Amino acid sequence: MGAGKQLRAGLIGLGAMGRNHARVLSTLDGVELVGIVDPAGDPTGQLRAPVLPTLEELLALKVDYAVVACPTALHEGIGLELAAHGVCALIEKPLAQSEAAALRLVEAFESAGLVAGVGHIERYNPALQNLRVRLEAGELGEVFQVVTRRQGPFPHRIADVGVVMDLATHDIDLTSWVTGQEYTSVSARTVSRSGRLHEDMVSAIGQLQDGTMVNHLVNWLSPLKERSTVITGDRGCFIADTLTADLTFYANAAIDMEWEALRTFRGVATGDMVRYAIPKREPLLVEHERFRDAVEGKESDIVTLRQGLRTVQVAAALLESAAAGVTVNVTDVPTGTGSPRQAAVPS
């Protein structure tokens, strides 16, 4: 891209998340938001770009990239259309409703040589960004367990997927990303108490490649809104609160054991507690800056479609496990069509 030239961006979908994307895109350096697609139009009348009824009209504006923030069921069709017209895309999470649809999107954008990413915004949360750096530096030593809790009231904007695909995909992606490890097996139980077609609570356990134990509790049934990630290792534990973007470390203490009967027990003791001072930039803005840089051809850390496919794969394995009451082994992401999972094994 030549010096001073702005990227032309489009947005598809004006739901709750779409309006946030519109806000960020409207002020993003190096980017001009030239059009938004939503059949319902702009009820506020405050958007800086024209709201169009069809994707075809947006494509006619010759956009360089588009942000896809419509319902998950529409991701595949819209994504394939963008790829066919040579338009890069940032697709909201989850990448698609199914593994097969996600794989078709991966293949379409890869074969066209286009930059494409998935909006797993938790990766850009300051607490998790800082936590990942500290884990990579070995500050926790060996990692034993990752526990996430993500709960709160039901968001009425979600109708086409359940809590596993909508919320648990956050935890699946951030767990793999922050530890640098893939899932190898998962087991889950789900319930539906709100009268909807899809599940609204899931409790899951899993294992990563290095043997790390994983636990996820995710629901839409709690008046308490909670977003926490706790990682325990041989030097203590980190707690990341992604609602407040706070990161706290609880250290293991080395103290003399005077009680003879307990000397043979190699446990841990409470040590120092530190809450880190972290610069707190808006995760959505950081996500957009990273994707803009990638479209411009710069080296940038984005969530690739193939990583998004992996997350959909693990989420599908959770649903399979809950439906069949078995532990499901998760294999590597496939490069072609067909089932990417091994046969289920009894739990």
Side-chain angles (χ1 to χ4, degrees), residues 211-234:
T212 297
M213 178 192 301
V214 173
N215 301 81
H216 301 308
L217 177 63
V218 189
N219 75 67
W220 280 326
L221 299 176
S222 172
L224 166 67
K225 189 169 185 180
E226 182 180 25
R227 302 286 187 269
S228 73
T229 300
V230 181
I231 302 185
T232 303
D234 60 8

Side-chain angles (χ1 to χ4, degrees), residues 93 150-155 158 160-172 189-192 196 198-203 217-221 315 318-319:
K93 64 86 201 161
R150 186 176 301 272
Q151 56 184 339
F154 172 65
I158 304 298
D160 57 343
V161 293
V163 75
V164 171
M165 281 293 181
D166 182 66
L167 278 190
T169 48
H170 279 304
D171 298 293
I172 294 166
R189 297 294 182 270
T190 60
V191 297
S192 181
R196 299 173 64 252
H198 303 288
E199 78 290 342
D200 43 37
M201 175 179 281
V202 61
S203 179
L217 177 63
V218 189
N219 75 67
W220 280 326
L221 299 176
L318 289 178
L319 292 172

Side-chain angles (χ1 to χ4, degrees), residues 86-227:
V87 177
C88 300
L90 173 60
I91 303 174
E92 260 302 335
K93 64 86 201 161
L95 175 56
Q97 272 188 313
S98 68
E99 297 167 83
L103 180 58
R104 285 191 287 270
L105 285 169
V106 169
E107 292 174 338
F109 281 94
E110 286 184 350
S111 63
L114 295 167
V115 174
V118 187
H120 282 290
I121 193 172
E122 287 283 55
R123 286 204 194 185
Y124 305 102
N125 188 284
L128 293 176
Q129 289 268 325
N130 194 271
L131 171 56
R132 185 173 190 245
V133 170
R134 294 180 182 279
L135 289 179
E136 288 178 338
E139 292 187 19
L140 194 59
E142 182 183 356
V143 175
F144 301 149
Q145 183 185 51
V146 180
V147 177
T148 69
R149 294 172 62 91
R150 186 176 301 272
Q151 56 184 339
F154 172 65
H156 294 283
R157 61 187 174 83
I158 304 298
D160 57 343
V161 293
V163 75
V164 171
M165 281 293 181
D166 182 66
L167 278 190
T169 48
H170 279 304
D171 298 293
I172 294 166
D173 178 74
L174 75 84
T175 296
S176 283
W177 173 74
V178 81
T179 62
Q181 299 291 323
E182 298 284 3
Y183 287 75
T184 57
S185 66
V186 293
S187 179
R189 297 294 182 270
T190 60
V191 297
S192 181
R193 294 289 184 266
S194 60
R196 299 173 64 252
L197 176 63
H198 303 288
E199 78 290 342
D200 43 37
M201 175 179 281
V202 61
S203 179
I205 62 173
Q207 184 170 316
L208 304 182
Q209 287 172 320
D210 64 353
T212 297
M213 178 192 301
V214 173
N215 301 81
H216 301 308
L217 177 63
V218 189
N219 75 67
W220 280 326
L221 299 176
S222 172
L224 166 67
K225 189 169 185 180
E226 182 180 25
R227 302 286 187 269

Side-chain angles (χ1 to χ4, degrees), residues 11 22 39 47 51 54 111 120 137 146 204 222 228 247 262-263 275 278 280 282 297 312 323-324 330 338-339:
L11 171 64
L47 295 170
V51 180
T54 67
S111 63
H120 282 290
V146 180
S222 172
S228 73
L247 178 64
L262 294 183
R263 284 185 178 176
R275 190 175 74 178
I278 302 171
K280 296 181 179 181
E282 182 185 3
V312 171
V330 189
S339 175

